[in-house]
Amino acid sequence: MSEHIKLFHGEMLSILTGMESESVDAVITDPPYMLGVSSFSAKDKKANKCGSWADMENASYWYAIWMKEARRLLKPSGYFAVFGGWRSIPVYSRAFYLAELPMTNCLIWEKPGLGPSGPNQLRGAYEIVLLSAMETAKISNRSVRDVFSCPPVYPHEKHHPAEKPVTLMRHLVDLLTPPDGLVLDPFAGSGSTGVAALLSGRRFIGIEREDAYVEIAQKRLREANVSFPRQEAIL
């Protein structure tokens, strides 16, 4: 593996626990949102009073386990940034507390157009990035707003169902890390966070367990590496 970029193929938690404490400038990641799960059969209306909220609340403990490891890896000047939606807020609130991560702020990613929704809901046009600043962390550019607008990755361009645009990921990387800083994404997917880190002159560690997405991420990182000549190899 190279000094400047590492892509691990394996289980996220086992890899995180083997990493050095206070070695990362930012954890920027987009984990599974845990949508559509339910503790009860949808047919059993009487038992299904909580709907999917029951499992989502239980999921906060799973989030907290890996978030606590992410907290350990962050430098005192580091940032934790995690994507979610409005349904995720109760889960993350509990998980942040259990992981001893302060919920410092959030960034709203505003998308043009309208997203899907139910007949009794407003049409979605945003996603949330929750931020946690470590003890000495600071945003150096004091003119940056908490709303960032850019198009999503359109379906015909996607490498991953939940892929985020590199433009958005570069905004986060530039905002939350110093030049030559180290970015960690424990749910690397198709590698967009890593591509953004490379294009912004940062170092990157990614973790992904799915074979197909590891191959895609490797290819994208090699292509982005043209702009980052210090890199020798991606494994």
Side-chain angles (χ1 to χ4, degrees):
M1 286 194 180
S2 162
E3 177 186 354
H4 299 292
I5 183 166
K6 298 178 181 178
L7 180 62
F8 291 98
H9 181 194
E11 290 297 329
M12 167 267 300
L13 194 58
S14 62
I15 294 169
L16 290 181
T17 55
M19 293 176 61
E20 182 183 353
S21 298
E22 297 188 2
S23 59
V24 173
D25 291 287
V27 175
I28 303 175
T29 194
D30 182 20
Y33 284 9
M34 309 296 286
L35 300 181
V37 295
S38 179
S39 290
F40 306 101
S41 167
K43 296 179 181 179
D44 188 352
K45 301 296 184 183
K46 192 172 183 180
N48 198 28
K49 292 179 181 177
C50 294
S52 61
W53 292 104
D55 273 334
M56 291 184 74
E57 286 298 317
N58 292 334
S60 63
Y61 293 97
W62 173 78
Y63 281 99
I65 290 171
W66 64 263
M67 287 168 63
K68 196 163 189 176
E69 279 301 309
R71 170 71 178 86
R72 178 184 64 82
L73 298 174
L74 283 166
K75 297 176 182 178
S77 58
Y79 274 94
F80 178 82
V82 62
F83 280 82
W86 65 267
R87 292 180 181 88
S88 309
I89 293 175
V91 178
Y92 279 135
S93 295
R94 179 66 174 161
F96 270 65
Y97 172 78
L98 293 172
E100 300 180 10
L101 280 163
M103 194 178 291
T104 313
N105 199 200
C106 75
L107 174 78
I108 301 299
W109 169 32
E110 182 185 35
K111 310 174 190 180
L114 297 171
S117 66
N120 63 345
Q121 296 175 312
L122 301 174
R123 299 290 296 275
Y126 73 97
E127 288 184 46
I128 299 169
V129 186
L130 294 174
L131 303 176
S132 179
M134 300 301 100
E135 294 85 351
T136 63
K138 291 182 179 179
I139 301 289
S140 57
N141 185 348
R142 301 307 305 153
S143 65
V144 178
R145 301 168 65 240
D146 60 3
V147 177
F148 184 78
S149 301
C150 77
V153 181
Y154 294 108
H156 68 281
E157 299 173 336
K158 280 188 174 183
H159 305 88
H160 186 284
E163 185 173 338
K164 299 300 184 285
V166 171
T167 299
L168 171 63
M169 304 313 290
R170 284 196 73 175
H171 178 69
L172 288 168
V173 167
D174 292 341
L175 188 64
L176 304 179
T177 63
D180 199 41
L182 177 59
V183 178
L184 167 66
D185 186 350
F187 299 93
S190 59
S192 296
T193 308
V195 171
L198 286 175
L199 295 177
S200 292
R202 271 65 166 181
R203 295 167 291 135
F204 177 69
I205 296 175
I207 305 171
E208 175 55 44
R209 72 175 188 175
E210 301 294 336
D211 297 358
Y213 293 129
V214 170
E215 292 182 12
I216 293 170
Q218 286 177 334
K219 182 176 183 294
R220 296 183 71 203
L221 290 168
R222 287 192 181 102
E223 291 172 353
N225 194 43
V226 173
S227 302
F228 199 49
R230 294 177 299 170
Q231 172 63 30
E232 298 174 359
I234 300 171
L235 299 179

